[in-house]
Amino acid sequence: MGRALVIGCGGTLGFAWTAAVLAELERQGWDPRTADVLVGTSAGAELVALLGSGISAGAIHDGSDRLVATHLSSPRGPRALPGLPRSALPGLGLSRAALARRTDLLAGLAGLLPRGSGDAQWLVDLGDALTATGDTGRDWVAHPATWLVAADARSGERIPFGRADAPHAPLGQAIAASWAIPGWFPPVRIGDRAFLDGGTVSPTSADLLLPRVGDGSIDEVVVVAPMSSHGGAPARGLTRVERLLRRPMTRRVDREVAALRAAGARVVRIEPTLADLDAMGANFMDGSRVEHVRAAAARTTPTLVAQRLRDHPAPRRR
């Protein structure tokens, strides 16, 4: 039997919080790199690319790996606010898919956002650096099942780049496609298709593992979901806007986790505590709050991770 790790979207602050969770999982006895399948969306795609290339969770969290430190300090990284939008609406396919009930309403609304003007080159550079230091002889990470989820801008179909049946994509382009937040970054063209952030359709895409659960190759799933808050999360002021976005994402994760459990998988679901959300504030892209998030996570993750692993069977060691 096998286990999978799913890391959801979450922007700059979701990345920082998730890195702390992964480091704590490692400290408590489970190395996330040993998962049989790694599934990442948006910032989660960035993280599973690092894990899939062999970098430890602890080194990602504390920046002790030189490549990670260079990446996280890049001046080309995302800004707290999007740049001036372009006039085009590249995600209208998501809106059409929502009208046809192939995607959720949230995806449909995302499809109405204008073309972003951000530059995702820092993500392409990360992919190039990871593959240059690897020994696979190809433009992907060494881990044999590292999936980076993006959404087809015309149909809303989720594509897990790195899965055997997905279109070929260089690692950097796949990370950038999974990170292509509507209104923030432009779509990323891979082959003859354009792709947007996979989080527009699902914050985690944990349900992509259902065939693996069904055939018995995966029976344990650890879901780390920065944009989900099962049971709700009260807020004041501008953070109420963030909660409006979080609610439908939580409902989607609820459904995916329920489906995995109904199929027979044991699921460990890890989400931010209220203290973590207070540290994040209203804007998950606000890099000025990274240290606040890291400080809060240092206090919350030891108990949070221990409780979640106790509430649900922890991944078995081999």
Side-chain angles (χ1 to χ4, degrees):
M1 294 297 185
R3 53 187 176 257
L5 171 65
V6 177
I7 304 178
C9 61
T12 301
L13 301 183
F15 180 103
W17 174 80
T18 301
V21 169
L22 297 174
E24 187 59 32
L25 282 166
E26 184 179 74
R27 192 188 70 79
Q28 294 194 24
W30 182 58
D31 186 341
R33 295 173 296 180
T34 66
D36 295 280
V37 183
L38 296 167
V39 183
T41 301
S42 200
E46 192 180 356
L47 282 158
V48 299
L50 293 167
L51 293 170
S53 70
I55 300 173
S56 73
I60 295 170
H61 176 53
D62 65 20
S64 58
D65 181 271
R66 183 176 179 180
L67 187 153
V68 173
T70 299
H71 171 64
L72 294 180
S73 63
S74 172
R76 307 177 81 171
R79 299 177 182 274
L81 296 173
L84 292 175
R86 310 288 175 82
S87 58
L89 298 175
L92 279 179
L94 298 177
S95 301
R96 289 192 290 269
L99 289 173
R101 298 188 177 182
R102 296 194 304 272
T103 62
D104 294 344
L105 175 61
L106 187 62
L109 294 175
L112 299 176
L113 293 172
R115 181 183 179 90
S117 59
D119 182 1
Q121 187 61 42
W122 102 102
L123 295 169
V124 177
D125 291 344
L126 173 63
D128 291 346
L130 290 174
T131 52
T133 58
D135 57 1
T136 63
R138 61 191 182 97
D139 50 6
W140 204 253
V141 297
H143 191 290
T146 302
W147 303 351
L148 313 186
V149 183
D152 186 303
R154 295 188 64 182
S155 67
E157 178 189 7
R158 287 171 293 157
I159 300 296
F161 290 108
R163 199 173 69 181
D165 60 344
H168 171 75
L171 181 63
Q173 291 292 316
I175 301 171
S178 187
W179 238 106
I181 304 170
W184 227 287
F185 296 102
V188 173
R189 185 160 291 278
I190 296 175
D192 60 354
R193 300 162 73 179
F195 294 91
L196 290 165
D197 188 335
T200 58
V201 177
S202 168
T204 60
S205 285
D207 58 329
L208 294 181
L209 289 166
L210 283 169
R212 295 289 187 105
V213 174
D215 67 18
S217 60
I218 293 294
D219 66 344
E220 301 169 329
V221 183
V222 177
V223 179
V224 184
M227 292 301 295
S228 174
S229 300
H230 185 69
R236 298 177 181 177
L238 289 176
T239 54
R240 291 179 179 176
V241 178
E242 192 267 358
R243 299 299 188 271
L244 289 175
L245 176 64
R246 185 172 288 273
R247 287 171 191 165
M249 288 189 165
T250 298
R251 289 194 293 269
R252 176 71 190 229
V253 176
D254 288 344
R255 293 196 299 271
E256 292 180 0
V257 168
L260 287 169
R261 288 176 175 158
R266 292 185 288 275
V267 182
V268 176
R269 176 175 176 172
I270 305 175
E271 300 164 310
T273 67
L274 291 179
D276 294 314
L277 293 178
D278 286 343
M280 292 180 188
N283 181 1
F284 58 84
M285 296 293 286
D286 185 359
S288 71
R289 301 187 67 87
V290 165
E291 292 308 316
H292 295 290
V293 171
R294 288 170 59 88
R299 297 188 296 270
T300 63
T301 55
T303 300
L304 172 66
V305 170
Q307 286 179 340
R308 295 298 177 268
L309 294 179
R310 184 172 63 247
D311 292 344
H312 304 283
R316 296 189 303 271
R317 294 187 184 184
R318 296 180 178 178

